[in-house]
Amino acid sequence: MGKKGKKEKKGRGAEKTAAKMEKKVSKRSRKEEEDLEALIAHFQTLDAKRTQIVETPCPPPSPRLNASLSVHPEKDELILFGGEYFNGQKTFLYNELYVYNIRKDAWTKVDIPSPPPRRCAHQAVVVPQGGGQLWVFGGEFASPSGEQFYHYKDLWVLHLATKTWEQVKSTGGPSGRSGHRMVAWKRQLILFGGFHESTRDYIYYNDVYAFNLDTFTWSKLSPSGTGPTPRSGCQMSVTPQGGIVIYGGYSKQRVKKDVDKGTRHSDMFLLKPEDGREDKWVWTRMNPSGVKPTPRSGFSVAMAPNHQTLFFGGVCDEEEEESLAGEFFNDLYFYDATRNRWFEGQLKGPKSEKKKRRRGRREEPEGGSKLACGGAGTQAPVEVVKEVVTEDGTVVTIKQVLSAPGSAGQPQSEDEDSLEEAGSPTPGPCPRSNAMLAVKHGVLYVYGGMFEAGDRQVTLSDLHCLDLHRMEAWKALVEMDPETQEWLEETDSEEDSEEVEGAEGGDEDEDEDSGEESGAED
């Protein structure tokens, strides 16, 4: 009894500390959020000028990260919403809605009256009822300088059949946050974690909320057992057995004045109803077998065929005294909840490649600066070194490690045809963090994200796909040359004029912590 009482007292003490910290963060951030509310209101005034739905065929969207890419439940379409872009001086946030038609390989920009305000690092979940609904919660807005932050706690639904946005107002929901995760579970949306940041303070969450899609009401869950520590940017997925898996994520703590220490989590937990009751939940620590991803943040997640969870990319920041350098990834992993096991996803390479080699027709990859996956005979990871010349003439060397083809990380079908007929190694997505993933008809789509080259942040707008049944080769649907991207050196002057300019300049705004932290958190 004594030990149990002591544990309970310690738990209550931790809750009090967290509550105090939240109050402190809330107080300090209130003023800057009030300042940003005026800017958000300005954007909403511009959005209010939209009075009808306008669908416009368009080129692929501009570079962005921390957007949401969702699969239409009834059509062969992907839906891109929100996101952010940083050009070295200003942060831009978006609330544009784009639809990618998979069969036609074509993009359409859909302007809808009264959309949600501009944001990034939100969560979007699709449910099939009513012709399809896209539910969006939370996210973040930032000043053009990227130094002030506003965290949303609003809930929206896009009715896909009628192409109308609706804000759903219900009390008792989560506090404002970004970097949280949300999944559809039966007739509910389950939300976990995230963080809230002001200029001086921040707080990470490990709370769990449920939104009932029938009654439109929020409830806070209080699971028994020991659950994950507070974090953002984790993996959250529903298992075939009806549980919810939480893996990894990122958090930071202040170790001394103006010094923060980041943590890349690599633990896994299962959240499930206790004794089959939907009003009582329990946390359980899990120890999966197999080949786990190396610890990282900024990775992306999607549901693969056979109820497996697909894990892509991310960044591992090496924290030095004065700097923070990141190693970016483009590797694939699969988590099989049925077997509680991780698998590394490796490409086999196009089958046609072997035939062409025998005929002496092996071709070289296009262009010296193109990133390419190794051929079918390559067993070790391939390191590609690329030089980027910045506007001031500085030469930045980017090293990128590309996964080697090998045995696939999950059982494969024996289809004869390959994705591409090219005899050369096929370009794949370069290493990156905070990309957008979606899986439709067993094909993985990877869009955008970012990587760093020295002090420069390169935001991507390319689109790649990979047949997850064959695991043979990536196919580039939209290509991008990072060297062509605008990058402006930081200036201390004209801050005020930039604020106004940012407000007028399209859908824009958001960063996170700093360039590096932002990649880490979402």
Side-chain angles (χ1 to χ4, degrees):
M1 284 294 291
K3 283 186 179 178
K4 187 181 177 186
K6 196 171 182 181
K7 276 187 181 177
E8 287 176 353
K9 200 175 277 186
K10 188 177 178 184
R12 286 197 296 271
E15 286 175 12
K16 281 184 181 177
T17 303
K20 280 182 184 176
M21 175 58 76
E22 183 164 3
K23 193 173 181 182
K24 187 178 175 186
V25 170
S26 176
K27 190 175 179 182
R28 289 184 176 176
S29 64
R30 197 171 298 132
K31 185 178 186 310
E32 63 188 62
E33 292 203 340
E34 284 171 1
D35 293 341
L36 288 181
E37 280 174 358
L39 190 54
I40 294 169
H42 171 75
F43 282 132
Q44 286 183 297
T45 302
L46 297 179
D47 290 336
K49 294 177 181 177
R50 302 178 194 173
T51 56
Q52 56 187 356
I53 301 166
V54 179
E55 300 184 48
T56 311
C58 64
S62 60
R64 64 195 63 199
L65 67 151
N66 290 330
S68 56
L69 186 65
S70 308
V71 173
H72 196 296
E74 296 181 359
K75 300 179 181 178
D76 290 335
E77 294 178 347
L78 305 180
I79 303 158
L80 180 73
F81 173 72
E84 64 169 304
Y85 169 68
F86 179 61
N87 68 1
Q89 288 185 358
K90 277 194 294 186
T91 300
F92 299 91
L93 277 179
Y94 305 106
N95 65 345
E96 300 164 322
L97 187 76
Y98 290 94
V99 173
Y100 175 69
N101 186 301
I102 294 171
R103 292 187 183 277
K104 295 180 181 178
D105 185 25
W107 289 92
T108 302
K109 187 171 185 284
V110 185
D111 289 315
I112 299 174
S114 305
R118 291 151 175 78
R119 69 191 61 207
C120 73
H122 54 280
Q123 281 287 278
V125 171
V126 170
V127 294
Q129 54 255 40
Q133 297 173 347
L134 177 75
W135 288 84
V136 174
F137 177 83
E140 186 174 327
F141 180 88
S143 62
S145 67
E147 293 178 357
Q148 290 180 299
F149 309 97
Y150 183 93
H151 297 266
Y152 296 103
K153 58 178 179 180
D154 52 354
L155 180 66
W156 294 76
V157 58
L158 173 63
H159 300 280
L160 298 175
T162 57
K163 295 186 174 67
T164 53
W165 281 109
E166 175 190 356
Q167 183 174 3
V168 178
K169 296 183 178 180
S170 176
T171 58
S175 56
R177 63 189 66 194
S178 55
H180 51 288
R181 293 295 178 257
M182 187 169 74
V183 294
W185 184 86
K186 296 188 177 180
R187 297 282 298 160
Q188 299 183 76
L189 303 176
I190 308 292
L191 183 146
F192 169 80
F195 76 102
H196 183 288
E197 179 185 24
S198 66
T199 305
R200 295 177 59 188
D201 294 299
Y202 53 82
I203 184 170
Y204 286 79
Y205 300 106
N206 63 347
D207 47 5
V208 187
Y209 285 84
F211 181 78
N212 188 301
L213 292 169
D214 294 318
T215 61
F216 281 20
T217 54
W218 284 106
S219 58
K220 185 174 183 178
L221 306 183
S222 301
S224 59
T226 302
T229 55
R231 63 192 64 192
S232 71
C234 60
Q235 167 187 319
M236 185 179 190
S237 53
V238 179
T239 71
Q241 298 81 18
I244 296 171
V245 166
I246 299 290
Y247 170 77
Y250 178 88
S251 65
K252 63 181 181 179
Q253 291 180 312
R254 186 144 295 164
V255 291
K256 56 183 179 181
K257 187 176 170 68
D258 298 327
V259 178
D260 299 322
K261 180 174 175 53
T263 300
R264 296 179 297 274
H265 300 280
S266 57
D267 46 3
M268 180 178 279
F269 296 84
L270 177 68
L271 176 66
K272 64 179 181 180
E274 197 168 0
D275 303 324
R277 294 171 49 185
E278 293 187 15
D279 62 337
K280 197 174 181 184
W281 295 70
V282 59
W283 283 113
T284 307
R285 179 74 180 259
M286 299 183 73
N287 293 297
S289 60
V291 183
K292 291 170 61 174
T294 54
R296 65 190 70 182
S297 57
F299 54 80
S300 305
V301 172
M303 290 306 296
N306 303 319
H307 301 286
Q308 294 183 338
T309 304
L310 186 150
F311 176 109
F312 171 81
V315 60
C316 178
D317 290 327
E318 297 299 327
E319 298 184 26
E320 305 287 340
E321 278 294 323
E322 296 295 327
S323 65
L324 191 132
E327 179 187 359
F328 290 79
F329 302 97
N330 64 345
D331 46 2
L332 279 174
Y333 290 85
F334 296 88
Y335 173 69
D336 186 329
T338 305
R339 291 187 278 176
N340 189 26
R341 186 178 180 87
W342 282 101
F343 297 91
E344 189 173 6
Q346 294 182 322
L347 304 186
K348 295 186 290 189
K351 292 180 182 178
S352 59
E353 186 176 336
K354 297 173 186 175
K355 299 172 189 173
K356 292 196 174 187
R357 276 183 183 167
R358 284 198 291 270
R359 296 175 194 158
R361 286 209 262 159
R362 185 178 175 190
E363 301 162 13
E364 292 300 316
E366 290 180 21
S369 69
K370 294 288 182 186
L371 300 171
C373 291
T378 307
Q379 296 302 318
V382 180
E383 184 178 86
V384 177
V385 180
K386 179 176 177 180
E387 290 187 345
V388 176
V389 181
T390 60
E391 290 181 355
D392 63 359
T394 304
V395 178
V396 178
T397 302
I398 307 169
K399 287 186 180 180
Q400 296 169 327
V401 180
L402 304 177
S403 301
S407 59
Q410 55 178 7
Q412 309 300 330
S413 63
E414 296 300 319
D415 293 349
E416 288 294 322
D417 299 327
S418 62
L419 272 179
E420 293 204 357
E421 294 184 358
S424 60
T426 308
C430 68
R432 65 191 66 196
S433 70
N434 304 84
M436 285 61 75
L437 300 193
V439 175
K440 181 75 172 180
H441 299 317
V443 177
L444 166 67
Y445 295 86
V446 176
Y447 174 79
M450 61 84 80
F451 68 87
E452 289 160 0
D455 293 332
R456 176 179 175 180
Q457 175 178 308
V458 179
T459 307
L460 299 162
S461 61
D462 51 353
L463 177 65
H464 296 261
C465 70
L466 174 67
D467 188 317
L468 295 173
H469 295 293
R470 296 170 181 162
M471 289 293 287
E472 291 174 354
W474 286 98
K475 180 179 179 182
L477 299 171
V478 177
E479 296 188 82
M480 172 192 174
D481 183 358
E483 295 179 43
T484 62
Q485 188 169 100
E486 173 190 59
W487 182 256
L488 305 176
E489 293 302 319
E490 229 178 314
T491 60
D492 295 325
S493 60
E494 301 182 306
E495 254 183 37
D496 294 339
S497 63
E498 282 182 6
E499 296 265 341
V500 175
E501 200 178 319
E504 298 296 335
D507 308 346
E508 346 265 22
D509 213 292
E510 148 57 338
D511 181 287
E512 204 172 331
D513 218 83
S514 65
E516 296 86 0
E517 298 286 353
S518 137
E521 318 244 7
D522 301 329

